[in-house]
Amino acid sequence: MLDILRRGAQSWGIKILFGIIIAVFVLAFGMNRMQNDKGSVVATVNDIPIIFSQYQDRLQRSLEMARSQNPNLTAEILAQMGFKKQILEQMITEELMLQEAAVLGLTVSKEELAKEIHLIPAFQNEGKVFDAATYQKVLQANNLTPGRFESDFMRTLIMDKLVTYLGLPGRLNEDQARDFHTYSRSTAVVSYVMYPWARFQDQVKATDDKIAAYYEAHKAEYAVPALARIAYLELNPATLSDESSVTGSEAETYYAEHKDDFRIEEQVNARHILVRVDDGAPEADVAKAMAKIKAAQAELKAGKSFHDVAAKYTEDPSGNENGGTLGWFGRGRMVKAFEDAAFALEKSSVSEPVRTQFGIHLIKVEDKKPAGYQAYADVEAAIKTLLAQDRAAETLQDRLDQALELILAGEGLQSIAKSIGLKREVQESEFFTRERAPRELPELAPENVATLFELPLNATTQSPLTLKDGYLLATKVEQTAATTKTLNEVKEAISAAVVREEALKMAKIQADNDLATLRGGGTGGAKATETAPFGRQGSIPGLGANPGLVAAAFKAEPGTWLPESYAFTDGYVLARAVRTTPPAVDEWEQEKEIWLNALNQRAEQQVVQAAVSEMRAKADIRITNPAVIEN
């Protein structure tokens, strides 16, 4: 909440409003500190307690946020993550930082607090001015009191000051940042000779002994995991609904009462021809663009098709292929000048030249649709589906209970589907593993996949598994044990692997022998191929990735052979350094601020992390109630 609210802060004014915030802060912050003395203690940090109620509140808020981002988070997953312990560790780190800030004399005044809150866009009205009513409303929507929010916000601001203070020694000056930029953006070029393994494959024989040895050495690669397959029913409003139960009069009533849901905006279907010219371009450039658009206009008036003229003249890349087609669009989708011209045109007419920030356009309106409402006949089926699903949603729990009773009575899924009025018949999945959900049910949570996988053969789930909008009932219909493919099954693939492996060894021997000659001053017979430029972190054009070759290329003197042969998919390579090139000066000027900010942020994080680690090492931290972080 705090981080979200602080984004986009702007300059402040209207100081009289600060009094509202400050008064609330003085009362509530003091009360919050007094309340800290109540309740059991979870941990102490240099004898300062972390109160259970504080920890519980933080845990709950963090849990709500985590589940809003990942609805499939279960208690088991949270336990594996050590979620409860993570939250306590965060609170311990914050307390350490606040204590360090106090030692350093870093504080936030009430005026500073008010100023920062005033800058939060979420608390501002349409005029971008702090609004007390909006402030109260936003906090209330997030289950926060002003006192609680301001207390937490002040702590955050103090920690921000500490982070800035601690991070200062790690900040880089412009020369240091430029060195990083030069290092990272420099490129290298090499010339290389490839020794492909295919050149030596005819010299290799994959004997039975070699194949058997390879199979034993790589047996794990031929393992086939245990598999399962299920039959299943999905119980949700869509599968339980019955459109035939919805009468025509019910659908008509819904249409009348919700007519705004079926409103359609005014639309045009248009094409355009664009000749590009920038805003503020010299008059000569504008005149040149206008002459070109006038030439296109003249051809249209002479009777040529808009499609053909667009293909000839337009500078919109897609327009060259589709004759300038834009398709249907409503108001608010195009820039205003273009939109005004398009909607003012009659069907099949072409505009005069229209200037926008993109250039000069000719617009043809192919068709128009007035604003209005979708006809009832066009939406009747959709309305009946919606109403039927709403009814089904109301009966979903009862029908689920009925299905579970039938399972306990020994009924099969097909019989259950018929009894509860399920519209969709029993489905069957493809094979799946314990770790991977059935392809047909990708939203299943991992623990539910495991539950299905562990069902005994022909057994049915005794409790429903949750899906996004309903439930799943399933019977395991087939299972296979984990196995390993036999040698005969993979013999052909292994034979090819043996040939390739042996041929690669021969390619390396040949490359290494030639390298010794080349580095000794001899000449090689093969012609070298020069690469395109590549960076320190990138793949080498025409070859692929090999970090060793890349690193050596940037170290080597131009004209020298790199010190070893390098493996690639197709074989081994000998390479000679050609050149390294630093980035252009104007590239640094364009990217300077981005690099300074990114490098300083990373450096600041590293310095602060080291400082916090040192604080923890020196601190007296005691978990006084370890039960609260147990899962």
Side-chain angles (χ1 to χ4, degrees):
M1 171 69 179
L2 298 180
D3 289 339
I4 293 170
L5 292 176
R6 294 187 65 210
R7 290 187 192 128
Q10 300 175 22
S11 61
W12 65 286
I14 314 183
K15 297 181 181 179
I16 191 168
L17 291 174
F18 293 173
I20 300 170
I21 305 170
I22 294 168
V24 176
F25 166 75
V26 170
L27 292 172
F29 184 69
M31 290 172 61
N32 185 273
R33 298 295 285 182
M34 288 188 289
Q35 289 168 353
N36 285 350
D37 296 331
K38 300 177 181 179
S40 58
V41 175
V42 178
T44 60
V45 183
N46 295 325
D47 294 329
I48 301 297
I50 294 176
I51 307 301
F52 175 73
S53 60
Q54 296 173 323
Y55 168 74
Q56 191 176 39
D57 183 65
R58 173 71 71 87
L59 180 66
Q60 183 62 32
R61 289 182 180 278
S62 300
L63 189 58
E64 288 173 2
M65 182 178 294
R67 282 189 166 144
S68 70
Q69 296 171 350
N70 184 359
N72 292 325
L73 274 180
T74 63
E76 291 78 9
I77 295 173
L78 291 167
Q80 291 171 6
M81 293 167 54
F83 191 76
K84 291 182 177 180
K85 185 177 181 181
Q86 286 184 36
I87 299 305
L88 182 57
E89 289 295 322
Q90 288 176 11
M91 296 182 73
I92 289 171
T93 297
E94 289 174 11
E95 182 58 43
L96 280 170
M97 294 179 72
L98 290 168
Q99 291 178 22
E100 182 68 13
V103 170
L104 295 170
L106 301 176
T107 61
V108 171
S109 68
K110 294 186 289 291
E111 290 76 17
E112 285 180 279
L113 174 65
K115 172 184 173 181
E116 290 295 330
I117 291 176
H118 177 79
L119 296 175
I120 296 171
F123 300 150
Q124 297 172 349
N125 59 25
E126 292 181 358
K128 297 186 178 180
V129 175
F130 176 84
D131 181 74
T134 302
Y135 175 64
Q136 295 281 352
K137 185 177 179 180
V138 171
L139 294 188
Q140 188 175 20
N142 287 275
N143 296 317
L144 287 168
T145 64
R148 177 57 187 274
F149 170 70
E150 290 159 14
S151 171
D152 289 344
F153 197 28
M154 174 169 273
R155 290 163 64 91
T156 299
L157 293 176
I158 291 172
M159 286 189 289
D160 284 350
K161 282 192 175 184
L162 179 66
V163 167
T164 300
Y165 176 85
L166 295 175
L168 283 174
R171 294 185 68 83
L172 283 68
N173 60 39
E174 185 173 325
D175 288 341
Q176 291 171 316
R178 185 166 187 175
D179 287 343
F180 272 101
H181 178 266
T182 299
Y183 179 87
S184 300
R185 289 297 180 86
S186 292
T187 60
V189 172
V190 299
S191 59
Y192 67 91
V193 178
M194 169 65 77
Y195 292 76
W197 67 268
R199 183 189 301 168
F200 303 91
Q201 63 181 339
D202 292 341
Q203 302 175 38
V204 179
K205 182 172 178 60
T207 64
D208 287 344
D209 288 344
K210 288 180 179 179
I211 291 172
Y214 187 98
Y215 176 74
E216 290 300 323
H218 298 82
K219 214 167 190 177
E221 298 175 15
Y222 306 111
V224 179
L227 300 171
R229 200 165 59 80
I230 58 168
Y232 63 92
L233 296 176
E234 291 183 73
L235 279 66
N236 57 49
T239 60
L240 290 169
S241 63
D242 178 11
E243 284 81 359
S244 66
S245 68
V246 180
T247 66
S249 61
E250 288 174 323
E252 289 175 0
T253 299
Y254 182 92
Y255 176 78
E257 293 177 350
H258 299 82
K259 199 164 184 181
D260 280 347
D261 293 345
F262 306 103
R263 182 185 294 276
I264 54 176
E265 62 179 344
E266 181 186 8
Q267 291 183 305
V268 296
N269 184 355
R271 298 173 181 268
H272 80 137
I273 296 169
L274 168 66
V275 176
R276 294 188 180 277
V277 60
D278 292 338
D279 269 351
E283 285 300 320
D285 291 347
V286 175
K288 184 178 178 182
M290 185 60 76
K292 185 174 180 181
I293 208 77
K294 288 286 189 180
Q297 187 179 35
E299 292 194 18
L300 290 172
K301 289 180 177 180
K304 290 189 177 180
S305 74
F306 198 97
H307 184 286
D308 292 342
V309 177
K312 178 179 178 181
Y313 285 97
T314 191
E315 294 174 8
D316 177 350
S318 63
N320 291 318
E321 300 174 359
N322 65 15
T325 297
L326 295 170
W328 288 99
F329 58 88
R331 292 189 182 275
R333 311 290 173 80
M334 302 292 182
V335 294
K336 190 173 188 310
F338 189 99
E339 175 186 295
D340 290 346
F343 280 92
L345 288 170
E346 296 297 325
K347 180 179 175 180
S348 301
S349 61
V350 178
S351 71
E352 291 298 314
V354 178
R355 178 78 183 272
T356 72
Q357 62 260 48
F358 301 107
I360 305 175
H361 310 255
L362 291 176
I363 306 167
K364 180 181 180 182
V365 168
E366 301 278 5
D367 201 356
K368 302 182 77 170
K369 290 179 183 177
Y373 298 90
Q374 291 176 275
Y376 170 73
D378 294 338
V379 297
E380 180 182 9
I383 291 174
K384 287 185 175 181
T385 297
L386 174 66
L387 293 177
Q389 290 189 11
D390 284 347
R391 288 179 183 174
E394 293 173 0
T395 66
L396 175 57
Q397 195 61 50
D398 291 340
R399 290 156 94 175
L400 174 63
D401 292 342
Q402 182 186 353
L404 294 175
E405 289 174 4
L406 292 170
I407 288 174
L408 290 174
E411 295 287 343
L413 294 182
Q414 196 68 50
S415 174
I416 292 170
K418 185 176 180 180
S419 296
I420 67 174
L422 196 67
K423 187 165 64 174
R424 187 178 299 169
E425 294 185 353
V426 177
Q427 309 290 304
E428 289 199 0
S429 76
E430 295 181 359
F431 279 104
F432 62 95
T433 68
R434 182 189 301 273
E435 291 76 26
R436 181 173 295 178
R439 181 183 59 80
E440 301 82 358
L441 299 165
E443 67 184 78
L444 270 179
E447 66 272 16
N448 288 340
V449 176
T451 296
L452 292 175
F453 190 86
E454 291 166 3
L455 276 174
L457 186 62
N458 298 319
T460 301
T461 50
Q462 298 298 295
S463 57
L465 305 180
T466 57
L467 295 173
K468 182 178 180 181
D469 55 355
Y471 301 95
L472 180 80
L473 300 175
T475 300
K476 182 187 277 188
V477 295
E478 193 172 353
Q479 64 184 22
T480 64
T483 60
T484 301
K485 291 181 181 179
T486 65
L487 177 57
N488 282 338
E489 289 179 292
V490 295
K491 188 172 184 178
E492 185 176 341
I494 289 178
S495 176
V498 167
V499 169
R500 183 178 184 278
E501 193 174 84
E502 293 293 324
L504 274 171
K505 291 177 182 177
M506 298 172 73
K508 178 170 173 52
I509 291 170
Q510 183 65 61
D512 289 345
N513 289 339
D514 286 357
L515 179 61
T517 301
L518 292 168
R519 288 176 67 86
T523 57
K527 183 179 179 181
T529 300
E530 189 170 293
T531 69
F534 55 88
R536 294 179 187 273
Q537 305 298 323
S539 180
I540 303 169
L543 289 175
N546 188 302
L549 191 157
V550 171
F554 279 94
K555 292 178 182 177
E557 290 292 326
T560 61
W561 288 93
L562 305 190
E564 59 184 275
S565 57
Y566 299 92
F568 288 91
T569 302
D570 293 335
Y572 279 82
V573 159
L574 300 182
R576 180 167 55 187
V578 175
R579 63 182 176 275
T580 58
T581 306
V585 174
D586 61 345
E587 185 179 332
W588 164 248
E589 291 300 327
Q590 292 170 7
E591 300 178 357
K592 177 168 59 177
E593 292 304 318
I594 297 173
W595 277 81
L596 279 167
N597 290 337
L599 289 170
N600 281 327
Q601 186 177 28
R602 185 172 66 179
E604 183 180 82
Q605 289 172 349
Q606 292 172 343
V607 171
V608 171
Q609 286 171 1
V612 169
S613 297
E614 187 177 350
M615 292 177 207
R616 293 185 72 95
K618 293 179 179 178
D620 179 13
I621 300 171
R622 302 184 185 186
I623 310 298
T624 57
N625 191 353
V628 301
I629 60 174
E630 293 175 0
N631 295 294

